């Protein structure tokens, strides 16, 4: 799942499913009430009209923009991510998907400042490591 602020940062992560509880819960945790949200027509987004200005584009009807609403920037992010995975790793396991999604999101968020990206990565080497099961 990904959330992208227009002309801003992306927040993306694997989610355990696509139910309304999961998707709307993630949105509620990360998007301020009253914000404008644009989604595709997935049925799990239908309750978003309560608390948000929610606009929908209907991809199944070949609609990609409706007024100010579109999800093209986020679709572009996922397209580039998929091509990067296929071109470099061929396949990634679901266990480690969060690492790849996080790295790619980090690169997108830091794309305007390669020097800052490098410095943050170097400083991250000094942080304690998570142990994996």
């Amino acid at each position: 799942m990904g959330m992208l602020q227009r002309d801003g940062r992306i927040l993306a992560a694997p989610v355990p499913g696509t139910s309304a509880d999961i998707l709307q819960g993630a949105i509620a945790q990360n998007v301020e009430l009253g914000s404008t949200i644009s989604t595709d027509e997935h049925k799990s987004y239908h309750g978003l009209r309560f608390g948000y200005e929610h606009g929908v584009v209907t991809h199944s009807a070949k609609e990609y923009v409706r007024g100010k609403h579109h999800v093209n920037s986020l679709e572009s992010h996922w397209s580039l991510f998929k091509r990067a995975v296929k071109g470099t790793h061929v396949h990634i396991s679901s266990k480690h998907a969060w690492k790849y999604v996080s790295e790619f999101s980090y690169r997108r968020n830091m794309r305007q400042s390669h020097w800052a990206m490098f410095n943050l990565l170097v400083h991250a080497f000094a942080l304690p490591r998570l142990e994996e099961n």
Side-chain angles (χ1 to χ4, degrees):
M1 176 181 191
M3 292 174 260
L4 176 66
Q5 183 176 7
R6 291 279 163 86
D7 299 321
R9 299 177 58 80
I10 190 167
L11 177 62
V15 291
T18 59
S19 70
D21 288 342
I22 291 171
L23 297 183
Q24 290 187 36
I27 291 168
Q29 287 180 335
N30 294 286
V31 180
E32 188 176 324
L33 282 175
S35 297
T36 299
I37 295 180
S38 302
T39 67
D40 62 17
E41 73 269 26
H42 194 283
K43 64 181 178 177
S44 293
Y45 297 126
H46 288 189
L48 285 174
R49 63 184 173 272
F50 305 108
Y52 300 98
E53 180 190 330
H54 181 211
V56 178
V57 291
T58 310
H59 288 164
S60 61
K62 301 205 181 308
E63 177 187 57
Y64 301 102
V65 177
R66 180 180 291 175
K68 67 181 177 181
H69 297 285
H70 69 81
V71 293
N72 298 334
S73 303
L74 192 55
E75 295 282 350
S76 172
H77 175 78
W78 289 123
S79 176
L80 292 169
F81 172 75
K82 290 174 188 177
R83 274 188 278 170
V85 167
K86 287 180 183 176
T88 307
H89 308 289
V90 181
H91 172 76
I92 59 175
S93 72
S94 59
K95 176 181 177 181
H96 299 288
W98 70 271
K99 296 175 189 176
Y100 295 95
V101 172
S102 296
E103 176 196 357
F104 207 76
S105 298
Y106 174 80
R107 288 173 180 249
R108 186 191 190 286
N109 289 333
M110 298 299 291
R111 71 190 182 282
Q112 303 299 330
S113 178
H114 294 122
W115 186 248
M117 182 189 311
F118 177 76
N119 285 336
L120 285 171
L121 284 171
V122 169
H123 289 299
F125 289 123
L127 297 173
R129 297 286 166 244
L130 296 175
E131 292 191 30
E132 294 186 28
N133 297 332

